[in-house]
Amino acid sequence: MAERLKARGLLGEMAAEFAGTMILILFGVGVVAQVAAAGIGDHDSIAWAWGLGVTLGVYVAARISGAHLNPAVTVALAVFKGFSWRKVLPYSLAQTAGAFVAALLVRWNYAEVLAKADPGHTIKTQGVFSTLPGNGTLPVGTWGAFRDQVIGTAILLFLILAVSDVRNSPPAANLAPFVVGLVVVAIGMAWGTNAGYAINPARDFGPRLASFLTGYGTAWRDQYGQLYFWVPIVA
């Protein structure tokens, strides 16, 4: 009975991670589709929508699962905060699945404008769903993007741990999700050049897979033709 209750509890936590990450990606990938395909908005609107997506996703999942929404966060909490290692893979799979489903919804909803902006579904609009070195246009290579992702993800995780540490001065009145959202906005505004600030393996891989299955044949590669999908995962 105890094992059954434990399994049911884990399923609930996975459902929360799925839903929270789905909300994050609906806003994040959605805003990039709007800017890239329809020309509505700019870099600032992208940064703010990603940050608000994080905030809303955390509010969705926090009570049930802790709202990691990111395999890098899950691993960091297992390493530094005693989070159960047996939950790391289930959480990561749920996060990736939520990102995948959200990206499919964005792809479906923006199908017409994406086809108008990029009939061949090429590298031109691939960045709507997944990141590229130098955002597909600037002179940044694989290892420059790798370096950038290590630094950006480290900044994110350091600040999440600082904000959530009760021995520190954590935000009061359930404002931590809002502060974490602001952290993502700041990273987007300061660290978005070299690799599009994925800073989240599920955020990149789930939408990348969705784009590949819906017509983006170059989804696994960068603008140089090099396999790139592994960089946001490993770094």
Side-chain angles (χ1 to χ4, degrees), residues 142-226:
T142 299
W143 295 110
F146 188 97
R147 174 193 64 224
D148 175 88
Q149 286 302 283
V150 170
I151 297 171
T153 309
I155 293 170
L156 172 70
L157 296 177
F158 179 85
L159 290 172
I160 286 176
L161 292 175
V163 166
S164 61
D165 191 341
V166 295
R167 297 166 300 179
N168 200 352
S169 298
N174 200 24
L175 286 176
F178 181 71
V179 174
V180 172
L182 289 178
V183 168
V184 173
V185 173
I187 291 173
M189 289 183 170
W191 291 88
T193 296
N194 283 6
Y197 70 106
I199 55 177
N200 182 339
R203 168 268 174 273
D204 195 82
F205 183 79
R208 193 181 293 273
L209 177 61
S211 67
F212 175 73
L213 294 176
T214 57
Y216 283 84
T218 59
W220 307 113
R221 299 181 180 274
D222 60 20
Q223 65 270 31
Y224 310 112
Q226 303 293 318

Side-chain angles (χ1 to χ4, degrees), residues 60-78:
V60 164
R63 183 75 178 268
I64 298 172
S65 68
H68 300 183
L69 315 186
N70 181 342
V73 172
T74 301
V75 170
L77 291 177

Side-chain angles (χ1 to χ4, degrees), residues 1 29 41 76 83 106 147 219 221:
M1 178 64 73
V29 172
F83 183 74
V106 173
R147 174 193 64 224
R221 299 181 180 274

